[in-house]
Amino acid sequence: MIPLLLILILWAIAGDADPAIAPLGIRRHISSLLGGSSSGRPSSGGSSSMVMDVFYVSHGSPKLPFEELPVRDFLKGMAKLVKHKPKAILMVSGHWETRDPMVSTTARNPTIHDFYGFPRELYELKYEAPGAPDVARRAKQLLQDAGFKQAGEDPKRGLDHGAWVPLWLAFPDADIPVFQLSLQSHKDAAYHYRLGRALAPLTREGVLIIGSGTTTHNLRHMLPTVPDWGKAFDDWLYDCLIHQRYDEVTQFMDKAPYAKLNHPTPDHFLPLLVALGAAGEGATAQAVHRSWHGSFSMASYVFKPAVGAPGPQQQQEL
């Protein structure tokens, strides 16, 4: 086996060979030696090694890039948890809400500083990653095919701080195309889970999907320490996700302890539902970070798609 591999290496070095035109039998033989695809390209579709995991992260305050917090350290190292460099990143932030689902189709993302009264240096930060209009339109088509007939495009939308702050920390080179999907906070959690399910095929197409919110988020009751009502909600969520009681999570307003106190509005929890749905049927959950910033839980999760999980079924118009 080794002499054959050596011959092919020398053939390639000579500059006369394209591995893609090698006889199929030889390509398969080399693939078996190297663990790669017989086509000479990364495989997609059924290969579990090429399916992208889906993440939910807590993005915290816009000041996070300048704060010495455990969640900042986690986000700075998050790229190590991503198995393959993504073709594009889809961000689902708690800071973009529309009546119907919208995807951003801008070619170059402007940085949106959607906050007031913060230090001047924060407004000088930019994250000008390229857009991913073609992938965004693919996402729109998936939504429409799944019954979200009113899904549309926003050609001017940039990245709000729920998107660019974690990306600025996790992928500082800003060289991966990024687009966003909006929330509909007037719809319930189950609706947003189905929204994510419609996008599940993207995980097999090289797209990294990240939901960005905050696991407990009550700006009216900010406290310097962890409140009992916050810990109860955070522990309930962890237990539900780890033990795959996802139906309870889609009914969190009725099932979770102190749900309304932790989320007076649902916008910072709904990104988790989209991420969970996007991982597909049979996905497993792992906590990749758990810490607190006062009364805000910074818990973050990875959802690992099941091998061979089916895609979304056709749905009635939603």
Side-chain angles (χ1 to χ4, degrees), residues 95-240:
H95 292 277
W96 188 22
E97 300 180 49
T98 57
R99 186 179 187 281
D100 297 301
M102 301 288 287
V103 293
S104 60
T105 54
T106 181
R108 175 66 61 174
N109 285 296
T111 305
I112 303 174
H113 297 92
D114 52 337
F115 42 79
Y116 304 94
F118 286 88
R120 184 179 64 183
E121 58 264 31
L122 191 55
Y123 298 92
E124 296 172 353
L125 291 184
K126 295 184 183 299
Y127 191 84
E128 296 180 333
D134 291 341
V135 184
R137 293 186 183 102
R138 162 70 171 150
K140 183 189 76 170
Q141 188 63 56
L142 287 170
L143 292 170
Q144 292 178 342
D145 290 346
F148 299 91
K149 300 299 185 184
Q150 301 304 314
E153 303 175 16
D154 186 333
K156 297 182 179 179
R157 175 76 185 186
L159 300 178
D160 60 63
H161 81 269
W164 69 259
V165 165
L167 290 176
W168 189 89
L169 292 165
F171 302 97
D173 292 338
D175 59 345
I176 303 171
V178 181
F179 69 105
Q180 282 197 238
L181 170 71
S182 66
L183 301 173
Q184 290 73 62
S185 61
H186 57 287
K187 300 282 191 178
D188 65 10
Y191 165 95
H192 285 84
Y193 177 83
R194 294 193 299 272
L195 200 68
R197 286 287 287 118
L199 298 171
L202 295 178
T203 64
R204 286 163 167 75
E205 299 172 12
V207 179
L208 174 62
I209 300 174
I210 303 175
S212 176
T214 306
T215 301
T216 63
H217 188 258
N218 189 332
L219 297 176
R220 303 169 196 163
H221 290 84
M222 292 190 293
L223 301 171
T225 57
V226 180
D228 291 342
W229 46 265
K231 185 177 187 305
F233 182 94
D234 187 64
D235 288 345
W236 170 86
L237 177 63
Y238 173 85
D239 194 59
C240 285

Side-chain angles (χ1 to χ4, degrees), residues 230-242 245 247-257 259 269 290 301:
K231 185 177 187 305
F233 182 94
D234 187 64
D235 288 345
W236 170 86
L237 177 63
Y238 173 85
D239 194 59
C240 285
L241 292 177
I242 297 306
R245 300 201 311 272
D247 285 348
E248 291 185 42
V249 182
T250 64
Q251 304 173 64
F252 80 99
M253 275 297 178
D254 298 322
K255 300 289 188 179
F269 193 72
R290 296 186 81 187
Y301 293 87

